[in-house]
Amino acid sequence: MFEKEYKKLMRRCNALAKKSEGHTSPNPLVGAVIFDDDFRIISEGRHEYYGGNHAERNAVLSAKEDLKGKSIIVNLEPCSHHGKTPPCADMLIEKGFKRVICGLVDPNPEVAGQGIERLKKAGIEVIVGVLEDECRELNKIFLKNQIKKEVYIAIKTATTLDGKIATKTGNSKWITDEKSRAQVQKLRNKYDAILTSSKTVLADNPSLTCRMRGGRNPVRVIVDTNLSTSPEAKVYNNDGTRVIVLTSKKNSNFPSHVEIVVCPSKNGHVDLKYAMQKLFEMKIRSVLVEAGGTLNKAFIEEQLPDELIQFIAPKILGDKAGINCVEGFKRDEISSCNNLTMVSTKILKNDIMVVGKFKF
Ligand code: AOF
Ligand code: ZN
């Protein structure tokens, strides 16, 4: 019953939640809508930033009428624990809501179904699983963090139609057009950290900041096994952004704001699995890999990335020596390809953005 109306309201919750992208980590993206039996919206709320009120509380606070007998829809199960704020489930019971609709059970062990239980025990009707797949996708980072205790990893690459990211001399400016590049700035605003290789730092001297209006800089992570980058490189600018170097060398002459993580080496390179675990311990919950074909291959080989985001420009380089977006696999059979799943595409002016999930 009311499936269509609930879906529409859940889409609204997700849209509200999305407005906080980049600001809630390590917490989830949550939106809530309060409505009456005629589906008239009474108020809305979202979790705006880490440490702030939960979405349900903000929706309750912005309501201008009595909430007794009303319904609330939220993309994540209301919490049952005393964290930075008292439990949302208790507040909903107190306010006299008659129905709570949620998209997902919260995997956080502090909650994990107990919020729903508590609401049901108080005689509130609870509906779970509305637009579950969309809710899951929205909180893919939070879910992986909670369930696997691992960082969410996406590889971003920008290529020609023949899969090249640069000419053999390293020239890559610009393969994709300004619309694709603006999209990359949006991604930088969403991910906790952006990761690149010493090779990219040496070749391009990128600043790896977020130039989106109203955006914020991600943490900069540089994989530099032998500490071959110069402390003068732009990525090491002391601009108030956290900078982390993942290396296998002990000595460094980097400025004191640069955090050095000494990792074991594997086949002559930083052990990426170890390094990603370290980043998780350092409170980083999502990483956007913006590097070259060699590091992309290493990540895939280690079965680490969750997602690929590829911007493809309608250009053909055609030079065998040009650099590939994934460089170095030896594969004889098509059956040994990495097949991405849940693939979606978007046209951006002349380019195509392809997003898919890795399945290992
Ligand atoms: C949020 N925002 O809107 C909801 C959350 O750190 P705390 O004390 O605010 O608690 C965070 C946990 O609360 C989070 O991991 C999730 O399990 C639950 N729900 N969290 O930050 C919200 N509804
Ligand atoms: Zn809560």
Side-chain angles (χ1 to χ4, degrees), residues 53-57 77-81 85-89 91:
N53 278 341
H54 289 184
E56 303 90 315
R57 189 167 302 276
E77 170 185 7
C79 67
S80 52
H81 69 300
T85 50
C88 292
M91 175 192 61

Side-chain angles (χ1 to χ4, degrees), residues 27-28 30 47 54-56 76 79 81 83-84 106 108 111 142:
N27 280 351
V30 190
H47 180 54
H54 289 184
E56 303 90 315
L76 189 70
C79 67
H81 69 300
K84 289 183 188 61
D106 187 344
N108 179 354
V111 186
F142 176 71

Side-chain angles (χ1 to χ4, degrees), residues 179 345-353:
K179 233 177 158 176
T345 56
K346 195 171 169 181
I347 305 280
L348 300 159
K349 203 174 164 191
N350 287 318
D351 300 342
I352 311 169
M353 178 168 92

